[in-house]
Amino acid sequence: MGFRFANVEGRAALVSGDHHYDIATVSNGSLSSDPMKTLTRPDRLATLAASLDGHEPAGLVAEAALGPPVPTPRNVFGIGLNYLDHAAEGSMEVPENPLVFTKFPSCLAGPTADVEMRSDYCDYEGELVVVIGRGGRDIAAADAWSHVLGVTVGQDVSDRKVQFAAKPPHFDLGKSFDTFGPMGPVLVSVDEIGDPNDLRIVTRVNGEELQNDVVGNMVFDVPTLIAYLSQITTLATGDLVFTGTPAGVGAVHGRYLGDGDVIETTIDGIGTLTNRCVRIGDLRSPGDT
């Protein structure tokens, strides 16, 4: 049996139905309240999840203040141009190898957090986020899913003005503003999601559907990404991989996010992010006077 894991006000929790259960409480203190520590014990999480009927829930998920399920990962990787239609809409060549960049872990935010913008050129990118469980180096593609703790929903929010302010582009800076990595609402273990290739990513802005595709249409699938990354750096428990976004991003169509816009990002079987955009100021470049 698998599990659904959440970060409730900074405390590790399990989710069953409409309710959440405090892990430190239901485990009688044998598991930590710290989400990062608890994620190192997936075997215990699965066992505990199977016994929740005998415990009192801590509250309703709908009323909980949820943070990112993995709040302080060591590494956050992003993958560019990983859907054929997305590459085509931007008249970009499909990469021969994964186009990898990093997002600063400080950009991560919860599933209902505001997205704080500093320009008129901010964009949405709905994505499946893979969470590494058992770490390792030189992981074979055939073994990759056994190294995945679970998956969640992510938004790779991007300030295109900053991203393309220099040559080569600043993928890392443009995608790493504080709040530019909403994720959640829960982390779902691999054995709970069925065929991952059937997972469908849908992004809506103010109720209008702008992205809709399935994970099976990735250029480089999850096992390929894990095998490639682990040749270069040892992967650790809690490392995140934002696996790429489908077609429909705003920059291609001249539709950027504005103050008050609401981004909804859904993957069936995992859940929905609902993030309001808030313009908090203007970014000043070094050359501005």
Side-chain angles (χ1 to χ4, degrees), residues 178-257:
D178 288 356
T179 75
F180 272 25
M183 60 181 292
V186 295
L187 182 160
V188 181
S189 62
V190 174
D191 47 0
E192 289 276 302
I193 62 173
D195 185 349
N197 288 321
D198 293 336
L199 294 173
R200 182 170 294 277
I201 304 168
V202 178
T203 303
R204 295 180 175 88
V205 176
N206 300 332
E208 180 182 356
E209 184 178 292
L210 299 174
Q211 292 184 294
N212 188 330
D213 207 343
V214 293
V215 168
N217 287 331
M218 286 182 182
V219 177
F220 302 105
D221 63 12
V222 170
T224 300
L225 294 175
I226 291 174
Y228 183 73
L229 289 169
S230 69
Q231 292 181 83
I232 298 161
T233 184
T234 301
L235 298 179
T237 301
D239 283 353
L240 304 180
V241 185
F242 281 67
T243 58
T245 198
V249 297
V252 174
H253 306 285
R255 175 173 182 154
Y256 293 100
L257 296 166

Side-chain angles (χ1 to χ4, degrees), residues 15-29:
V15 171
S16 180
D18 296 331
H19 295 91
H20 64 87
Y21 298 76
D22 185 78
I23 286 175
T25 300
V26 298
S27 70
N28 295 316

Side-chain angles (χ1 to χ4, degrees), residues 275-289:
N275 304 103
R276 183 172 65 101
C277 299
V278 179
R279 182 67 177 268
I280 64 168
D282 297 317
L283 181 72
R284 296 188 63 185
S285 299
D288 294 343
T289 57

Side-chain angles (χ1 to χ4, degrees), residues 18-159:
D18 296 331
H19 295 91
H20 64 87
Y21 298 76
D22 185 78
I23 286 175
T25 300
V26 298
S27 70
N28 295 316
S30 64
L31 289 175
S32 174
S33 63
D34 183 337
M36 297 306 298
K37 291 181 179 178
T38 302
L39 287 173
T40 65
R41 301 297 304 278
D43 54 335
R44 288 294 313 281
L45 290 175
T47 301
L48 200 59
S51 68
L52 290 179
D53 288 345
H55 295 277
E56 188 72 19
L60 292 168
V61 176
E63 297 175 356
L66 299 179
V70 185
T72 54
R74 187 189 64 167
N75 291 316
V76 182
F77 302 99
I79 309 298
L81 302 178
N82 203 28
Y83 285 79
L84 289 172
D85 287 351
H86 176 45
E89 72 177 348
S91 301
M92 302 281 194
E93 292 186 9
V94 177
E96 295 182 3
N97 295 294
L99 195 169
V100 180
F101 56 91
T102 57
K103 289 173 71 74
F104 306 158
S106 55
C107 79
L108 297 177
T112 60
D114 288 348
V115 172
E116 299 178 351
M117 307 185 303
R118 292 181 180 271
S119 86
D120 296 324
Y121 300 96
C122 293
D123 204 351
Y124 52 86
E125 293 190 7
E127 309 200 5
L128 175 75
V129 179
V130 168
V131 183
I132 298 298
R134 180 164 53 93
R137 190 175 185 188
D138 293 320
I139 298 168
D143 300 327
W145 278 112
S146 70
H147 288 260
V148 175
L149 178 66
V151 295
T152 190
V153 186
Q155 256 295 334
D156 180 20
V157 183
S158 308
D159 186 315

